[in-house]
Structures are given as structure tokens and as C-alpha cells.
Amino acid sequence: MSAKFVINGQNRLVGEIPVQGAKNSALPILAATVLVDGCCEIRDCPDLTDVQATVNILRHLGCRVRREEHCCFVDGSGAVDNPIPERLMHEMRSSIIFLGAILGRFGKAEMFAPGGCEIGLRPIDLHLDAMRKFGAEVLEEHGKIVCECPKGLKGTQITLSFPSVGATENIMLAACRAEGTTTLFNAAREPEISDLADFLNAAGARIQGAGCGEITIEGVRRLHGCAHTVIPDRIVAAGYLAAAAMTGGCIRLTDIIPAHIGPVLPILRDAGCEVEIHARDVTLRAPKRLLAVKNIRTMPYPGFPTDMQAPIMAMTAVARGTTVIVETIFESRYKHVPELARMGANIRVEGRTAVVQGVPTLTGARVTAPDLRGGFSLVLAGLAARGITEISDIRHMERGYEDICKTLSALGADIQRVKDSERDEESRGAFA
Ligand code: EPZ
């Protein structure tokens, strides 16, 4: 049965919370364990449906997986190159990262095109072109992808036309056990790329330059088991800071790497928040009413992250003045706008530009989460809104945010997760 969030807004968020491990690091690292002949211990794996979907694929490939709280033990010694069925691939976009790992280990990979958030076309041409560069033959038919490289992968030089996060990850994975050296130019520089490289190097890979635009990978014959701790989730961290900012709150986030949220901090400060940074924690104090911020343009790291576009839009929707947001990464990532508008936000979208005219207050409404980050922006709006907000389709958010209710309740929010039918009768009154 599907569930929804019910939020009674306008509680000020106050307190201290730790930040979960990063979904977008954990997923490629788990996929990378396919390359390893041995047992890997992946710590700080968040408890999310996307992590479970990844574990399901690993098990389908013959890896032995055991989960103990936030630790994931994966033994890839007995992995096999089973084709990955459509049902498993469709769960999420990052299932495509298995391509580089399986091809790297077996010289052959067969799977369906991936699913994921509906935020634009999301082609995989850069991934497939890169696999061809390693010498693989790639066949795409009826939604199926078959890659074969009977003579084994050969190290190569690849220049990405755009610094795609997923393509960079796939190239690193395929190159790890390829023969010879691979150099990747115009690589993505996101912290999750460096985290993947740190894991692979701990397993015996030879990767240099991750986090910079140029990455060199010297192929090795074998990778061995290792332990690795996933980095904290910078998008979740920045999201909770935005939540505190919108409710005039004051929160301290612990267990984070402040540099990773560097691109978001100037925006929070421009909005009038005081932000204090320490080695592993950040404290934010919000003013009574936020100010509009300078123009925001989503860019590859270290630019402003596209994954924060929706949450920051919710924040600017209640700021004093006008904020202009330009989404440059995904072609269709404004599906939260009509939902925010139902709550009284004044936002006009023209192509890739959104003009947000801040209003003094939002009002609770029934809304639907369109995707992961768009859904979280509705949670933020609900926390700041007057009255009750009901958000349905919360499965999107449960792909990326661990224990949203518990975390926000610990900060003083009035939020509940309820089964659809349980709440329907009760809430009818609230919206009558
Ligand atoms: C990763 O997606 C993240 N997902 C996304 O997070 C994030 O929004 C994105 O990077 C950008 O930071 C994971 O890490 C699992 P890209 P990815 O390849 O790898 C185009 C979230 O909310 N492109 O860098 O799919 C593509 O269409 C998610 O947690 C091609 O044209 O992103 C897009 O416009 C959503 N051809 C742009 O590049 C390709 O072959 C960026 O995509 C690949 C990408």
C-alpha cells in the first residue's frame, strides 16, 4: 500500500543531526564490488530502496551480500555474467553503472536500458561510446544492451564531450582491469567520483587524478577485498540546511565534509543565514525571513548541483524578492513547480529558466512528489507552509533520503508517514 507524508507546517527546526552516507557514492561502489575477487565491507551505506535495488542486482550476478545496519558486506568471488533483466534495471538509473563493472570483469555484459527519475531524456550514449573505445562491440536492440569484448578490454584515451558523472564512473570501472593504461579527459569532478576511486584503490586499483578533469587508470589483473566508508551525502546535508533556513531555524549537521557543500553555502549566506563551518560539522542560523539570492545556475561540480535546484527553489519561494534559476544539466527538471504553485508559490518557467517571486507564506495543500529531489522540495515547502500538507508518491523520496520523518521530527517538525487509506478520512476534514 502506498504511503504519504502529512506535515503540519511552521515549526521552527532546531537541533543537531548526523548526515547519512551518500546514495550516489554507495551505488557505484556497490556495483564496483563485482570487479573484486574477495569480500568488501562497505560502511555507511544508507538504508534506501535504491541500495536494496543494487543489492538485488548484485545477488542476481551471484555475489554474496549481507547487510548489517549501515554495513554492506559483498563477496564478488563467485560473480557470474548473468544478463540483468528489465525488472531489475528499471528500478533506477544508476543500474547502468553495472555495465563497466561486468564488462571489466567478464569482457561481456548484457542488460536492459536503465530506469530512474523522470527528469529528462537521460541518454547513455557517452557510456556506450566509451565502452566501444575499450574495444567492445555494442549492440542495442529492443531496449537491450549487449557489450562484448572477446579479446579483453584495452586501455585507451577517452575525452567526454560533457563531464557525465555516470559515464566517468563506468569508464573508471571498465579501465580498472583493462590491459594497459586509460586516460580520461573532461571527467566529472563530483566528490562521489573521488570516493569511488578511493574504494577501487583500496581494492588494489591504480587510479590517479579522480576529482580533477583528467583521470589516469592503470589496469591491474585482479582486485582484492577491502573496507571502505562511504562519504556523507552532500545533497541530503544541504537539503536539511535549506529546511532549517526556510523555517527560521537553527541546526547543526554533524559527520559531514563541509567542502562538499561549498557550492551551496554562498546561496544560504546570500539568503541571510549565518553559517559556521568546522572540520566535520556545519551550523546554520536562519533569519526570520529569507532574502532572494543572486541568480542560480546548475553546473557540474564544483558548480551549484542540479540535485539542489528543487530544494533551493522551495527556499527562495518564501524569500523576500525575486530569484532566477537556470537548470543547465537536465532538460526537464521543473516538475515540482506546479506542485509548489498549488501551495501558493509564484514561479514562472520559461524553457530552462525559472523566475521565483518570493511570497510571504505558503499554504498547505495536497501535492504529489514528481521525483526524488522535487519531492523533497515539497517536504521543505510543507515544513514552512501554514496548515497541513499531504505529499503522495513518497516512494521517490525513499530512494534517496533515509528516515525523513525521524530526522525532521528530531528537529521539531510535525511530520508523519501514513498509509494512504489510514489518513484519507482524517484529512478530508483538514481540506474541507
Ligand atoms: C548523476 O546522474 C546522479 N545520479 C544524479 O543524481 C545527478 O543529478 C547527476 O549525476 C548530475 O550531478 C547518480 O549518481 C546515481 P550525468 P547521471 O551523466 O550520472 C547527459 C539524484 O537526484 N548525458 O552527469 O545520470 C544527461 O542527459 C540523481 O540523486 C548524456 O547526454 O548524470 C544529463 O543531461 C538524479 N549522455 C547530463 O549529461 C550520456 O551518456 C548529466 O548527466 C550521459 C549523460
Side-chain angles (χ1 to χ4, degrees):
M1 189 189 293
S2 58
K4 55 176 78 167
F5 287 141
V6 179
I7 306 173
N8 191 359
Q10 296 201 322
N11 283 8
R12 200 173 157 251
L13 298 194
V14 179
E16 178 177 315
I17 46 165
V19 173
Q20 70 185 62
K23 166 181 84 80
N24 290 347
S25 262
L27 302 184
I29 289 172
L30 286 170
T33 60
V34 170
L35 284 164
V36 179
D37 290 301
C39 187
C40 298
E41 179 181 344
I42 315 298
R43 304 177 187 136
D44 281 359
C45 255
D47 187 10
L48 303 168
T49 48
D50 270 12
V51 169
Q52 189 51 45
T54 305
V55 167
N56 293 344
I57 296 180
L58 285 170
R59 289 189 172 135
H60 175 81
L61 294 171
C63 299
R64 288 172 56 193
V65 188
R66 185 164 53 89
R67 290 179 77 178
E68 268 177 31
E69 296 189 352
H70 287 103
C71 233
C72 220
F73 298 87
V74 188
D75 188 348
S77 314
V80 286
D81 58 350
N82 283 338
I84 308 181
E86 199 161 13
R87 145 186 79 81
L88 292 177
M89 286 298 289
H90 266 195
E91 292 287 307
M92 57 183 179
R93 163 81 179 181
S94 60
S95 47
I96 190 65
I97 307 307
F98 278 94
L99 182 65
I102 300 174
L103 197 60
R105 173 131 182 206
F106 301 105
K108 186 171 153 244
E110 200 176 319
M111 59 186 58
F112 278 85
C117 279
E118 298 294 329
I119 52 180
L121 274 178
R122 305 189 80 181
I124 51 167
D125 53 324
L126 300 176
H127 301 245
L128 300 185
D129 286 351
M131 297 306 124
R132 288 187 182 100
K133 282 275 205 168
F134 285 105
E137 270 182 35
V138 181
L139 198 75
E140 279 184 279
E141 240 176 26
H142 311 299
K144 207 173 192 182
I145 304 158
V146 181
C147 283
E148 270 188 81
C149 198
K151 291 188 191 141
L153 270 62
K154 301 271 183 294
T156 183
Q157 294 212 340
I158 301 171
T159 303
L160 288 174
S161 55
F162 179 88
S164 153
V165 173
T168 300
E169 291 165 347
N170 251 334
I171 292 165
M172 281 164 56
L173 293 172
C176 269
R177 288 178 62 168
E179 189 188 321
T181 300
T182 299
T183 312
L184 171 59
F185 301 98
N186 199 26
R189 293 185 282 165
E190 271 69 4
E192 293 77 20
I193 300 292
S194 308
D195 203 26
L196 175 62
D198 287 346
F199 163 72
L200 289 165
N201 284 340
R206 294 197 190 132
I207 304 175
Q208 282 185 340
C212 309
E214 187 179 322
I215 303 180
T216 308
I217 306 123
E218 210 185 301
V220 295
R221 275 180 186 277
R222 148 171 214 282
L223 296 181
H224 53 74
C226 66
H228 178 80
T229 303
V230 171
I231 55 170
D233 197 310
R234 61 195 170 100
I235 304 301
V236 169
Y240 285 126
L241 291 177
M246 280 182 83
T247 57
C250 174
I251 66 166
R252 178 162 176 259
L253 295 183
T254 61
D255 302 344
I256 70 164
I257 301 174
H260 292 173
I261 54 169
V264 182
L265 294 181
I267 293 191
L268 294 168
R269 286 186 170 127
D270 282 355
C273 300
E274 267 178 51
V275 184
E276 226 178 83
I277 302 169
H278 298 283
R280 296 283 296 182
D281 59 78
V282 168
T283 302
L284 176 139
R285 274 180 212 86
K288 270 220 164 85
R289 173 132 194 237
L290 296 168
L291 304 170
V293 294
K294 287 188 202 120
N295 294 353
I296 299 171
R297 220 181 150 76
T298 62
M299 297 289 276
Y301 193 83
F304 181 84
T306 173
D307 293 346
M308 276 306 292
Q309 178 257 110
I312 289 291
M313 181 184 283
M315 188 185 96
T316 56
V318 290
R320 191 188 300 279
T322 306
T323 301
V324 176
I325 300 176
V326 183
E327 171 59 59
T328 77
I329 306 293
F330 291 105
E331 42 148 24
S332 170
R333 212 176 188 178
Y334 283 137
K335 293 193 173 140
H336 45 284
V337 170
E339 303 300 311
L340 289 171
R342 290 168 73 86
M343 300 178 68
N346 181 353
I347 304 167
R348 206 176 66 246
V349 174
E350 272 171 32
R352 290 191 175 227
T353 304
V355 181
V356 188
Q357 177 66 57
V359 295
T361 183
L362 297 172
T363 50
R366 276 197 180 126
V367 287
T368 305
D371 54 56
L372 170 56
R373 310 299 171 187
F376 194 70
S377 76
L378 301 179
V379 172
L380 298 192
L383 292 171
R386 187 158 32 83
I388 297 204
T389 298
E390 279 194 16
I391 309 173
S392 53
D393 266 2
I394 63 171
R395 67 197 155 89
H396 291 296
M397 284 170 265
E398 293 178 339
R399 292 184 41 224
Y401 296 85
E402 206 179 67
D403 279 336
I404 296 187
C405 283
K406 198 168 146 208
T407 308
L408 287 171
S409 302
L411 295 172
D414 181 348
I415 174 169
Q416 289 175 54
R417 182 186 191 283
V418 291
K419 299 263 161 59
D420 270 352
S421 58
E422 272 176 35
R423 179 72 204 180
D424 272 351
E425 267 174 41
E426 248 178 82
S427 64
R428 220 161 273 146
F431 288 95

